[in-house]
Amino acid sequence: MSEPGNVDYERVAGEVGVTVDQVRNVMSLLDEGNTVPFVTRYRKERTGNLDEEQIRAIQGRVTALRQVAERAQTILRLIDAQGKLTPQLRAQIESTDTLKRLEDLYLPYRPKRRSRAAEARERGLLPLAERVWNQDASLGELDAAASGLIDVAGGLSDTAAVLQGVVDILAERIGEDADVRARCRRIANRSGKLTVAATKEGEEKGSDYRNYFQYSEEVTKIPPHRIMALNRGEKAGFLRIRFEWDRDRALTELLIFLRLTEHRYGDFARSCVVDALTRFIHPGLERELRRELTERAESHSVTVFARNLRNLLLQPPLRNCRVLAIDPGYRTGCKLAVIDEFGNCLKTDLVFATGSAEKKLASRQKLVELLREYDYPVVAIGNGTACRETEEFVSEIIAEEVPGGRYLIVNESGASIYSTSQVARDEFPDFDATVRGTISIGRRLQDPLSELVKIDPQHIGVGMYQHDVGTRRLKESLDGVIESCVNYVGVELNTASASLLRYVSGFNQLVARRVVEWRSEHGRFSSREQLRQVNGIGDAVFTQAAGFLKIADGDEPLDNTWIHPESYNAARDVLKLISVEPGQLTNVAAGSVELTERLSQLDCPSLSQQFGVGLPTLNDIVESLMRPGRDPRADLPGPLFKGGILKLDDLCEGIELTGTVLNVVDFGAFVDVGLKDSGLVHISQLSRRYIASPHDIVAVGDLVTVWVLGIDRERRRVSLTMIRPKSRGEIVHGAATAPSAAGPSEKL
């Protein structure tokens, strides 16, 4: 069944695993301008309760097929303009569903640079080439036929030049044949391999790539992260990469397919096929396969980054807690910033964790006074330069002067980028960049999502080779992740920054800024309806955004729930049934047993018909009323604080530790167990059973128990395992180190 835009929705439905009606309804909603978060949460009746991942899969597949359809129409128009569009060719192009096949069909008609075949045709050799290819019965010996076309002045000095021109014409024809290329592509995909060697410069300077100096692997088996490593080494000039495949098999199959095994001029025809393989097919396949491998690897890298970023952004906030943020440093000292429960900077200062004993003693006294003055806030230490020296300094103070004190190591990736940005200058015009960066370290502990959205996500260290991926592609994907997270959590309208508001469904950067400006001019919003007073927010934008914007202590209690304003009447009807006024919601704790019991006793299927509301929507209304003001991150375990430090010398094989997963990549997971550098749990050490991907076992932010598997003291690397030793006698118990959020040490 074909749909508008020549997209087969039945095919999409089969690929995604949904019904045709679901595909049609999803695309109808998206084409009308609705956002994916809005469709996912508030149009469940139309989508059949599809989740966001399914909706994005439908959107992506339909978009790809629409691009194929658009390209097909362009190609038809271009070939028709040349006067070469036959009914058979039109049918082939219109029935094609991949860009690769489309480009193969278009190749013979694509404008190209002057070629050897074109020169041969200009010299009048096309008729002879046609007669040779068609085995013209009246054509005698090729040398005799060629001798009659010798034209010294025209560049055909002898029979060899004439016959070479014929080879050029036929080789180009063979090389541009779509079916020939498809057959060769299948052989190349099955038999192809990349062979890698070191360049002279690589032998001298590329020691990081020594594992690839004599390397070969089938293209079907090379993992994405290895492709990225090879590409990086090649780009640096350290590696030379060649594509090899079973060319003999391709030659044999083409001779049979083209019916040249019994050709009258068999040897000559064979030379044409060999020339086509050498000059057209092999180079084209090499470029194509390398490009596909790279695109697949980049797509995988983006997927890994997106998954890790999502887990990082959805880490639970540290509510109602003051923070003393420390940006460590050696010569210039450690910058301090005391931040209140609402993210406001109360005081800044400077201490020295290293240097002379006199300087350290004065800094110690200053830090103790700050901790006492501000009622012992949580200490957040950035994981940059001098992190561990600063941690040792702080841990000693806490142990000796502040019993019960707590601290964390916070991943400061991107803090320096933020500190010099316009966003930071607008927020803190009176502070210099170093202070802004310190405040960012503390704030990302208080609310990771609200703070990290201010930083370009590629600068947050939770990816794999993300810096080798095209900026535009990476940004589009990661912006989608941020949009998803922001709308999954919801936004407090009266405190959210423009950086956060821009990702709200239906909003953009301009609308977000206007909301903040309206708030500055008129004061806090008292209801969602007031959004309509903001310039640029009409009915369409309001509909998309309202449900994701929450207002605590507003005029309308339902404004602090996930219930969309279009469903307020139904929500009030539900509350009326259980004898609860909307105003009482502000005094009911989220998850109240009494409220939950009343709501859980409702017969939602019957009420759905009575109220004229879809059952999925009614179920969501009831769930929202059970937990008014709910932040979904509240269900996740909070951070574990540290009270002491762990040194490499403290470790021995088998010791049991607790750590936080910092980054998940194809070959394993990096875990912070309190050392200067994170340890690696290789994929083979994540579980006793086989796993296809580390993401099946762990995610960024997970708290895990690990055992030390090996210690490389020279390179300061620690190998870890999550597989519990079989014998308890094998385990050496050490002081468990609570996790932190320090960045991984790998160079990806």
Side-chain angles (χ1 to χ4, degrees):
M1 181 186 299
S2 219
E3 296 290 341
N6 295 323
V7 174
D8 186 350
Y9 281 4
E10 284 188 355
R11 174 182 175 179
V12 176
E15 292 175 350
V16 180
V18 298
T19 68
V20 176
D21 283 342
Q22 285 176 310
V23 174
R24 186 181 294 110
N25 288 340
V26 165
M27 292 313 302
S28 176
L29 286 164
L30 295 177
D31 289 341
E32 290 168 7
N34 296 292
T35 68
V36 172
F38 176 80
V39 171
T40 302
R41 185 177 289 274
Y42 296 114
R43 291 297 180 262
K44 293 181 177 180
E45 286 79 12
R46 292 277 301 275
T47 68
N49 215 14
L50 295 179
D51 61 31
E52 183 176 344
E53 186 175 343
Q54 291 171 307
I55 290 173
R56 290 191 185 276
I58 292 171
Q59 182 186 40
R61 194 68 189 101
V62 171
T63 298
L65 290 176
R66 285 178 176 176
Q67 290 174 345
V68 172
E70 291 172 4
R71 180 59 178 161
Q73 292 304 311
T74 299
I75 289 175
L76 286 172
R77 187 178 67 254
L78 293 172
I79 297 177
D80 191 37
Q82 300 176 25
K84 299 177 181 179
L85 184 61
T86 64
Q88 181 183 8
L89 181 57
R90 176 184 288 276
Q92 283 184 296
I93 291 174
E94 290 180 342
S95 63
T96 297
D97 56 8
T98 67
L99 285 172
K100 189 181 299 181
R101 175 68 175 173
L102 271 181
E103 298 304 331
D104 280 350
L105 291 170
Y106 179 49
L107 185 59
Y109 309 95
R110 181 191 296 276
K112 54 180 70 72
R113 292 177 298 177
R114 190 171 181 80
S115 66
R116 285 160 49 175
E119 292 177 357
R121 286 191 289 268
E122 290 176 0
R123 291 167 178 165
L125 299 183
L126 180 59
L128 177 57
E130 295 285 4
R131 295 177 70 191
V132 171
W133 187 255
N134 296 323
Q135 306 181 66
D136 189 338
S138 64
L139 186 65
E141 293 296 326
L142 291 183
D143 286 344
S147 64
L149 295 174
I150 294 175
D151 179 5
V152 177
L156 301 174
S157 58
D158 51 27
T159 58
V162 173
L163 293 178
Q164 182 58 54
V166 173
V167 170
D168 291 340
I169 292 173
L170 295 180
E172 183 179 84
R173 179 181 297 179
I174 294 169
E176 292 183 346
D177 184 280
D179 293 326
V180 165
R181 296 179 70 83
R183 286 176 175 271
C184 290
R185 186 176 290 117
R186 285 195 294 270
I187 296 171
N189 285 331
R190 289 196 298 264
S191 66
K193 63 180 180 180
L194 295 185
T195 300
V196 187
T199 63
K200 183 178 180 180
E201 185 179 4
E203 292 175 348
E204 297 173 353
K205 303 178 182 178
S207 59
D208 288 346
Y209 299 93
R210 59 183 176 272
N211 291 341
Y212 301 118
F213 283 178
Q214 294 296 327
Y215 167 79
S216 180
E217 188 168 6
E218 297 175 23
V219 293
T220 56
K221 296 181 179 180
I222 306 178
H225 69 273
R226 196 167 296 153
I227 291 293
M228 301 295 280
L230 292 175
N231 288 349
R232 180 183 288 183
E234 184 181 45
K235 185 177 181 180
F238 298 151
L239 301 177
R240 184 181 297 109
I241 303 174
R242 291 185 295 109
F243 169 69
E244 297 177 354
W245 63 308
D246 193 345
R247 191 182 304 197
D248 291 340
R249 180 179 175 185
L251 176 60
T252 300
E253 287 200 17
L254 289 186
L255 290 174
I256 296 172
F257 172 69
L258 296 172
R259 300 177 182 177
L260 300 178
T261 54
E262 303 297 331
H263 196 278
R264 179 180 175 189
Y265 304 105
D267 290 341
F268 185 82
R270 179 188 178 93
S271 69
C272 294
V273 177
V274 171
D275 191 41
L277 285 168
T278 302
R279 290 197 298 119
F280 296 100
I281 296 174
H282 178 89
L285 288 176
E286 181 170 19
R287 288 191 300 270
E288 181 181 292
L289 282 169
R290 289 289 306 277
R291 182 174 62 251
E292 287 181 354
L293 287 171
T294 297
E295 289 177 352
R296 197 177 307 143
E298 288 184 351
S299 178
H300 180 76
S301 178
V302 170
T303 299
V304 169
F305 197 144
R307 186 178 301 176
N308 288 340
L309 178 64
R310 181 178 182 84
N311 290 324
L312 179 64
L313 293 177
L314 294 181
Q315 289 300 296
L318 191 65
R319 300 290 191 193
N320 303 317
C321 185
R322 287 184 175 181
V323 173
L324 171 61
I326 303 179
D327 184 6
Y330 287 115
R331 182 179 57 83
T332 57
C334 303
K335 276 69 69 179
L336 307 181
V338 180
I339 304 167
D340 70 11
E341 298 86 343
F342 308 103
N344 302 309
C345 184
L346 302 178
K347 186 171 184 177
T348 64
D349 214 321
L350 183 72
V351 297
F352 291 86
T354 60
S356 66
E358 182 180 354
K359 185 181 292 186
K360 288 178 64 177
L361 179 60
S363 294
R364 178 189 179 101
Q365 294 172 346
K366 181 186 293 185
L367 194 56
V368 170
E369 290 173 3
L370 274 176
L371 289 170
R372 291 173 176 168
E373 179 182 354
Y374 291 99
D375 198 22
Y376 305 107
V378 172
V379 180
I381 305 172
N383 69 330
T385 304
C387 166
R388 296 309 174 185
E389 291 82 357
T390 304
E391 179 185 8
E392 185 173 359
F393 179 67
V394 170
S395 65
E396 288 179 358
I397 292 174
I398 288 178
E400 298 173 10
E401 305 280 354
V402 190
R406 304 174 298 170
Y407 74 89
L408 284 172
I409 305 297
V410 176
N411 188 344
E412 65 177 47
S413 297
S416 60
I417 301 293
Y418 160 79
S419 67
T420 57
S421 68
Q422 187 60 50
V423 172
R425 289 195 292 270
D426 291 342
E427 281 193 291
F428 305 107
D430 299 327
F431 292 143
D432 64 23
T434 59
V435 175
R436 296 183 200 128
T438 307
I439 295 172
S440 179
I441 291 172
R443 280 181 160 187
R444 65 179 62 186
L445 175 61
Q446 292 180 319
D447 191 341
L449 179 60
S450 295
E451 192 63 24
L452 291 175
V453 295
K454 303 171 186 176
I455 304 167
D456 286 338
Q458 59 264 38
H459 297 300
I460 302 173
V462 290
M464 183 181 68
Y465 292 103
Q466 67 269 17
H467 296 294
D468 296 330
V469 178
T471 303
R472 179 180 176 183
R473 179 178 188 176
L474 183 65
K475 187 177 188 308
E476 288 177 353
S477 176
L478 300 185
D479 280 351
V481 173
I482 297 174
E483 176 193 42
S484 173
C485 291
V486 169
N487 290 287
Y488 172 73
V489 171
V491 172
E492 171 51 53
L493 182 57
N494 284 312
T495 59
S497 66
S499 300
L500 190 63
L501 288 167
R502 62 176 292 200
Y503 291 103
V504 170
S505 170
F507 278 16
N508 55 31
Q509 196 164 4
L510 177 60
V511 172
R513 189 169 68 246
R514 286 174 174 172
V515 168
V516 173
E517 290 171 352
W518 190 98
R519 203 169 60 198
S520 299
E521 182 179 351
H522 300 90
R524 67 189 307 278
F525 287 89
S526 59
S527 71
R528 284 171 169 168
E529 277 297 321
Q530 278 186 300
L531 279 167
R532 298 182 186 275
Q533 299 176 19
V534 178
N535 185 25
I537 298 185
D539 290 343
V541 173
F542 178 83
T543 298
Q544 297 296 309
F548 302 98
L549 296 166
K550 299 180 181 180
I551 301 175
D553 302 321
D555 295 342
E556 171 55 75
L558 295 177
D559 284 348
N560 196 35
T561 70
W562 283 109
I563 301 170
H564 196 280
E566 64 188 10
S567 299
Y568 279 2
N569 288 337
R572 293 188 181 100
D573 289 339
V574 169
L575 290 172
K576 187 175 181 180
L577 283 175
I578 61 173
S579 302
V580 174
E581 292 293 329
Q584 294 178 255
L585 291 177
T586 57
N587 300 318
V588 176
S592 164
V593 174
E594 181 182 359
L595 182 63
T596 299
E597 286 182 353
R598 292 191 198 180
L599 290 168
S600 62
Q601 293 173 2
L602 296 175
D603 183 359
C604 288
S606 298
L607 292 177
S608 172
Q609 296 180 357
Q610 178 182 338
F611 296 156
V613 176
L615 182 57
T617 295
L618 186 60
N619 286 334
D620 284 349
I621 290 172
V622 170
E623 182 180 351
S624 296
L625 293 174
M626 286 181 179
R627 304 181 68 179
R630 169 182 174 263
D631 184 335
R633 296 173 296 176
D635 298 332
L636 301 173
L640 295 180
F641 300 98
K642 302 178 69 173
I645 62 173
L646 184 68
K647 297 179 181 179
L648 195 64
D649 293 338
D650 298 333
L651 296 186
C652 62
E653 292 185 9
I655 192 171
E656 180 181 328
L657 302 166
T658 301
T660 300
V661 176
L662 300 174
N663 199 7
V664 183
V665 293
D666 288 351
F667 49 83
F670 289 91
V671 180
D672 180 13
V673 292
L675 296 168
K676 183 173 184 179
D677 297 313
S678 53
L680 173 65
V681 182
H682 189 267
I683 185 173
S684 62
Q685 296 297 322
L686 288 170
S687 173
R688 293 189 186 278
R689 62 180 176 84
Y690 169 78
I691 58 171
S693 168
H695 293 281
D696 297 337
I697 301 293
V698 291
V700 169
D702 282 356
L703 307 180
V704 295
T705 299
V706 295
W707 291 265
V708 175
L709 192 63
I711 307 167
D712 185 339
R713 299 187 187 278
E714 181 179 348
R715 294 194 291 177
R716 300 190 62 82
R717 294 183 179 179
V718 177
S719 300
L720 305 171
T721 179
M722 286 175 53
I723 301 174
R724 180 183 294 274
K726 293 181 180 179
S727 169
R728 294 295 295 178
E730 297 176 20
I731 302 174
V732 179
H733 290 280
T737 303
S740 65
S745 60
E746 85 285 8
K747 298 178 180 178
L748 295 182

